């Protein structure tokens, strides 16, 4: 009989993660198997829809693997991390766990996660290589993308048409082109500004990649020089002062709004920046279809990559490494799992599975899949995951943007301060 332990997890913050992990380090050598039936614990966070879809995929896995039972542990984002930190500190981590890039380096660095590089149970042949690399920490693979998204510009074709402006060629446009198009849209008087401003991710990583840098290095350091974000902050300033984007006061308010309240989602902006997995939410709020465009660039680098919306990882202390790896392999590579999961966690890491579900998912998700196919040559390697202590980098960058927009700091000063703050965070966490 299948057994499913569904745990109700209360809402809590994520502050317990570092405190609990500080006193633990999972064994890097799992206990050996002794044979017989096996019970795995699989933990994740998410919505009711995710819980239902994942349980259906678990049922399919159990049917295909007699003798393996999977107990589910799930809840909301905040409660998930508090619970996982407590379990890990007590040596009782789930066998398989959903992981965020914000904490991947921290858990891997403290020996909590099992390296996956040599797991023969996982078929890597159909997995996107760049996506696989995003789960590496310090040269070892500790997690595999459960779903991916990419940085994109969302454009409102109805507002472009009303303004009498052609949709730009996103394969050739520069950041200067972007500012000019946005200015022209604002001046057209169609009741919207040209663009939402930069408010951090996903533009930051794309900008740095385009300039040969990254937020963090693979060995856990800040990945850009003190002046490396000067141009980024100049861009944020130019968008606001030119009228291409809203005024500073509006931009800072947008930083705390949910995506369905952004200008691009309410028709107040003709363009905006977003992670691709927000397309459905934003279009749902707007009530009409948006175009997906590549980020502008001033270099040969597109800044386009597949970011792990979330990952699957295995506890280093699991007594069932073989079966745990089989579960991850099934979730990533089996069509029976794909029938249930579809694109709920983001774009599948397996490129064949992406094609397999293309006619089974919603129209926005179909367009996301088509975008990755059409722009496959432009997809680069994902940047390193946030270093230990760097999970709040976006807040640091947003403070820099606010200070530049309100004239408290120059773009160069903001770049230097962000570099210093991030360096201090990494030092304190180390």
């Amino acid at each position: 009989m299948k057994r499913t332990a569904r745990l109700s997890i209360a809402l809590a913050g994520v502050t317990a993660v570092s405190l609990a992990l500080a006193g633990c380090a999972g064994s890097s050598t799992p206990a050996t198997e002794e044979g017989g039936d096996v019970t795995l614990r699989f933990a994740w966070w998410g919505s009711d829809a995710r819980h239902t879809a994942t349980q259906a995929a678990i049922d399919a896995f159990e049917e295909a693997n007699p003798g393996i039972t999977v107990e589910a542990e799930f809840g909301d984002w905040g409660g998930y991390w508090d619970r996982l930190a407590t379990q890990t500190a007590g040596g009782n981590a789930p066998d398989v766990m959903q992981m965020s890039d914000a904490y991947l380096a921290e858990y891997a660095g403290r020996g909590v996660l099992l390296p996956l590089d040599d797991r023969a149970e996982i078929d890597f042949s159909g997995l996107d290589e760049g996506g696989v690399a995003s789960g590496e920490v310090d040269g070892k693979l500790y997690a595999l993308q459960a779903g991916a998204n990419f940085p994109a510009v969302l454009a409102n074709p109805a507002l472009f048409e009303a303004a009498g402006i052609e949709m730009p060629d996103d394969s050739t446009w520069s950041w200067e082109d972007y500012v000019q198009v946005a200015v022209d849209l604002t001046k057209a008087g169609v009741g919207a500004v040209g663009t939402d401003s930069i408010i951090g991710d996903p533009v930051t990583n794309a900008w740095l990649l385009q300039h040969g840098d990254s937020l963090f290095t693979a060995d856990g350091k800040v990945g850009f020089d003190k002046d490396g974000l000067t141009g980024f902050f100049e861009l944020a300033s130019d968008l606001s002062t030119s009228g291409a984007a809203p005024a500073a006061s509006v931009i800072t308010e947008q930083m705390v709004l949910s995506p369905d309240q952004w200008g691009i989602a309410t028709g107040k902006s003709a363009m905006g920046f977003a992670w691709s997995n927000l397309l459905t939410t934003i279009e749902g709020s707007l009530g009409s279809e948006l175009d997906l465009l590549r980020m502008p660039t001033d270099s040969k680098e597109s800044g386009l990559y597949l970011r792990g919306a979330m990952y699957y990882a295995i506890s280093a202390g699991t007594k069932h490494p073989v079966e745990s790896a089989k579960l991850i392999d099934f979730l990533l590579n089996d069509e029976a799992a794909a029938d249930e999961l579809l694109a709920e966690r983001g774009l599948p890491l397996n490129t064949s599975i992406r094609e397999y579900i293309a006619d089974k998912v919603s129209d926005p998700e179909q367009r996301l899949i088509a975008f990755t196919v059409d722009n496959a040559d432009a997809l680069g390697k994902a940047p390193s995951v946030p270093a230990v202590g760097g999970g709040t980098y976006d807040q640091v960058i947003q403070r820099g943007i606010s200070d530049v927009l309100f004239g408290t700091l120059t773009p160069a000063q903001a770049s230097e301060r962000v570099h210093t703050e991030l360096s201090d965070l990494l030092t304190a966490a180390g």
Side-chain angles (χ1 to χ4, degrees):
M1 178 180 297
K2 297 176 181 178
R3 293 178 291 131
T4 304
R6 301 196 172 193
L7 305 181
S8 175
I9 306 177
L11 179 62
V14 299
T15 55
V17 175
S18 296
L19 294 174
L21 284 178
C24 73
S27 169
S28 60
T29 305
T32 57
E33 290 286 352
E34 296 181 358
D37 291 346
V38 167
T39 297
L40 300 177
R41 292 164 51 223
F42 175 24
W44 69 88
W45 73 85
S47 64
D48 289 343
R50 178 172 301 160
H51 304 335
T52 300
T54 306
Q55 186 57 56
I58 287 172
D59 292 343
F61 173 77
E62 290 177 334
E63 183 175 351
N65 293 271
I68 304 179
T69 298
V70 180
E71 294 183 345
E73 302 177 5
F74 57 79
D76 57 71
W77 166 267
Y80 176 86
W81 292 106
D82 276 349
R83 184 179 186 86
L84 183 59
T86 300
Q87 291 173 325
T88 301
N92 188 38
D95 299 280
V96 178
M97 65 193 81
Q98 195 167 280
M99 183 57 55
S100 166
D101 61 357
Y103 300 112
L104 177 55
E106 185 163 2
Y107 276 82
R110 298 191 185 279
V112 175
L113 304 180
L114 181 71
L116 304 180
D117 308 75
D118 300 321
R119 297 310 312 183
E121 302 84 10
I122 300 175
D123 182 2
F124 288 87
S125 63
L127 305 184
D128 180 275
E129 291 184 6
V132 170
S134 74
E136 293 180 356
V137 176
D138 200 19
K140 290 186 178 181
L141 180 66
Y142 287 99
L144 288 166
Q145 291 180 356
N149 52 24
F150 52 85
V153 172
L154 304 184
N156 188 325
L159 290 176
F160 271 82
E161 183 177 356
I165 297 174
E166 291 187 5
M167 193 65 65
D169 181 356
D170 65 339
S171 67
T172 61
W173 66 344
S174 66
W175 284 107
E176 182 179 357
D177 295 332
Y178 187 89
V179 174
Q180 187 59 57
V181 169
V183 168
D184 292 343
L185 285 162
T186 299
K187 290 181 177 179
V190 293
V193 294
T195 179
D196 285 339
S197 183
I198 297 169
I199 54 175
D201 266 356
V203 188
T204 315
N205 272 301
W207 170 275
L208 287 169
L209 288 172
Q210 290 170 358
H211 292 80
D213 295 323
S214 59
L215 271 168
F216 303 100
T217 63
D219 58 353
K221 296 181 176 60
V222 176
F224 59 94
D225 295 333
K226 289 185 177 181
D227 63 350
L229 282 176
T230 299
F232 171 83
F233 288 120
E234 289 174 343
L235 174 61
S237 178
D238 290 345
L239 286 172
S240 183
T241 58
S242 67
S249 58
V250 176
I251 293 170
T252 54
E253 289 176 0
Q254 286 186 340
M255 290 180 180
V256 297
L257 294 178
S258 59
D260 62 331
Q261 296 176 300
W262 293 348
I264 187 63
T266 58
K268 296 178 181 178
S269 301
M271 296 187 292
F273 307 101
W275 290 112
S276 59
N277 63 333
L278 294 174
L279 180 64
T280 300
T281 296
I282 292 173
E283 285 188 344
S285 176
L286 182 64
S288 62
E289 186 174 305
L290 296 167
D291 284 0
L292 278 166
L293 304 177
R294 284 162 54 168
M295 289 282 182
T297 181
D298 297 327
S299 71
K300 294 181 180 180
E301 298 297 327
S302 69
L304 186 64
Y305 65 95
L306 292 180
R307 170 186 182 256
M310 58 206 70
Y311 295 78
Y312 295 128
I314 298 175
S315 167
T318 180
K319 296 180 180 179
H320 312 295
V322 171
E323 289 79 4
S324 296
K326 284 183 177 180
L327 174 58
I328 290 180
D329 177 75
F330 185 86
L331 295 172
L332 295 179
N333 295 318
D334 199 286
E335 291 181 355
D339 286 334
E340 307 298 342
L341 299 173
L342 297 175
E344 198 283 328
R345 282 180 169 84
L347 300 176
L349 183 58
N350 184 308
T351 55
S352 297
I353 292 296
R354 245 179 256 166
E355 296 175 8
Y356 173 73
I357 67 170
D359 61 352
K360 304 174 186 290
V361 297
S362 68
D363 176 72
E365 291 168 336
Q366 290 180 27
R367 284 183 279 129
L368 294 178
I369 293 173
F371 184 93
T372 64
V373 174
D374 294 341
N375 294 280
D377 292 343
L379 287 169
K381 182 179 178 180
S384 299
V385 298
V388 176
T392 58
Y393 69 86
D394 204 32
Q395 298 173 26
V396 176
I397 293 169
Q398 285 181 346
R399 286 196 297 273
I401 292 172
S402 292
D403 285 334
V404 168
L405 294 180
F406 284 104
T408 306
L409 296 176
T410 67
Q413 290 171 335
S415 179
E416 182 173 357
R417 194 187 71 181
V418 167
H419 186 280
T420 298
E421 286 191 22
L422 290 178
S423 298
D424 288 347
L425 286 172
L426 303 191
T427 299

